[in-house]
Amino acid sequence: MSAKPAALLIGANGGMGRAVARALLDTGYALTATVSRRAAIDPFLADCPSCEAVEALDLSDAVAVKERIAALSSRLSRVDAVVVCSAVAPCAPAEMVAIEEFRRTIEINCSAALAIYQATIPHLRKTRGRLVLTGSYSGKVATPVMAAYVASKFALEGLTDVLRQEAQGWGVEIVLIQPGALDTPMMRRTQEDLGHTIANLSADQAERYGDLYRQMKYRADEALANGTYSSPEAAAAGVIEALRENPPSTRYPIGDHARYMLNLAKNSSDREIDDVILDIYRSAPL
């Protein structure tokens, strides 16, 4: 009897990560996972008790990430799939975002992906395996008040293309999942944090950006209340499709919102995109 295919999942404790973990186990993968902090290990194992191993891993230092993932991968008998679900999404206009917060967002959302690739590509070459990264429509369409997140996802789009081109000769597939906004605990916490941010804007900040913040929060609250955001399970289904299809697509949009935004990016000029995005904000009641 052949051994189970083996998957390494990075960022398993978030809403999408947990859904992907369950989907990988249900599909028959032997699963090794990382979570963002030690306190998340026990809750994760309670939900996914058949996971073979789980470790805490902070993705904010890509050099350390490469070392840790290389060591973890070397302990596995094989690596057929690597899936990266982690991301951070701070909300701040470009003028206001702290440089350290911007740098940390790039490190977690993009630089860590390169570190994971460098650590696992020797193993994926042996199995002709797959690396699945989590992007966003925000890697193709910018939105206000998300400067650091948008920059990191645009960077990840380009990095993914380079990795795919360079790995093609080895039979290793590099795939990007492109979700729209997902209804996750992180999204709901972000909305709560946004309310606190709005309440604590200085007078100058409120004059320049208060309306934009409130319009953004209104649209996100509206989508959560109406159930129009995609589910983590939909994103997990996209990951499994990316692992099963032969050959896989290079990108998998997840949800109607993502498909709309990605079509907008493909078929519209920059000025047309600006008009559509800003109208979504400006038409929100204050």
Side-chain angles (χ1 to χ4, degrees):
M1 185 173 64
S2 61
K4 283 183 175 183
L8 175 59
L9 173 60
I10 311 300
N13 57 300
M16 177 180 168
R18 190 74 63 90
V20 170
R22 290 191 292 263
L24 288 168
L25 291 169
D26 290 346
T27 306
Y29 280 89
L31 180 62
T32 299
T34 75
V35 294
S36 60
R37 58 195 184 281
R38 290 186 181 278
I41 292 177
D42 287 344
F44 173 77
L45 286 174
D47 192 40
C48 300
S50 55
C51 181
E52 296 192 352
V54 58
E55 295 187 7
L57 178 65
D58 178 4
L59 297 182
S60 64
D61 180 347
V63 173
V65 168
K66 181 179 177 180
E67 293 174 355
R68 289 283 307 279
I69 294 296
L72 180 58
S73 300
S74 68
R75 296 198 297 270
L76 303 177
S77 59
R78 59 183 293 135
V79 179
D80 297 278
V82 179
V83 182
V84 182
C85 292
S86 296
V88 292
C91 297
E95 183 181 5
M96 289 174 54
V97 65
I99 297 300
E100 280 303 316
E101 186 70 29
F102 188 93
R103 184 180 291 119
R104 179 176 182 270
T105 303
I106 297 290
E107 193 82 353
I108 292 173
N109 292 0
C110 186
S111 302
L114 176 61
I116 292 161
Y117 170 84
Q118 291 179 346
T120 59
I121 190 61
H123 305 279
L124 293 172
R125 270 196 290 261
K126 293 177 184 177
T127 60
R128 298 174 72 86
R130 295 185 184 181
L131 169 62
V132 180
L133 301 171
T134 301
S136 167
Y137 74 75
S138 294
K140 293 290 189 180
V141 176
T143 51
V145 197
M146 298 295 292
Y149 181 74
V150 167
S152 72
K153 292 302 183 180
F154 266 77
L156 184 62
E157 287 275 343
L159 175 63
T160 300
D161 287 342
V162 172
L163 301 183
R164 186 184 65 253
Q165 292 166 354
E166 293 180 353
Q168 190 176 67
W170 306 316
V172 176
E173 296 283 1
I174 314 296
V175 180
L176 191 68
I177 303 296
Q178 295 173 303
L182 300 177
D183 187 351
T184 63
M186 184 185 81
M187 170 58 75
R188 293 180 179 273
R189 286 195 302 272
T190 297
Q191 288 304 102
E192 292 178 8
D193 292 343
L194 196 53
H196 296 307
T197 298
I198 292 168
N200 290 289
L201 292 173
S202 70
D204 285 346
Q205 291 169 343
E207 181 179 357
R208 294 188 184 100
Y209 298 110
D211 286 354
L212 201 55
Y213 266 117
R214 284 187 289 272
Q215 289 159 344
M216 175 187 179
K217 187 174 188 307
Y218 179 90
R219 288 302 184 204
D221 286 342
E222 179 183 56
L224 286 168
N226 293 340
T228 54
Y229 281 168
S230 297
S231 69
E233 288 72 24
V239 170
I240 298 302
E241 185 178 3
L243 294 175
R244 280 179 167 167
E245 282 194 336
N246 226 344
S249 299
T250 58
R251 286 168 169 79
Y252 287 83
I254 306 297
D256 292 342
H257 190 206
R259 282 186 281 272
Y260 170 78
M261 289 294 194
L262 293 167
N263 283 332
L264 183 69
K266 183 178 180 180
N267 298 311
S268 305
S269 70
D270 290 344
R271 297 294 188 188
E272 289 169 336
I273 293 170
D274 291 347
D275 288 343
V276 170
I277 296 302
L278 291 173
D279 185 64
I280 290 171
Y281 282 66
R282 290 168 179 164
S283 61
L286 293 172

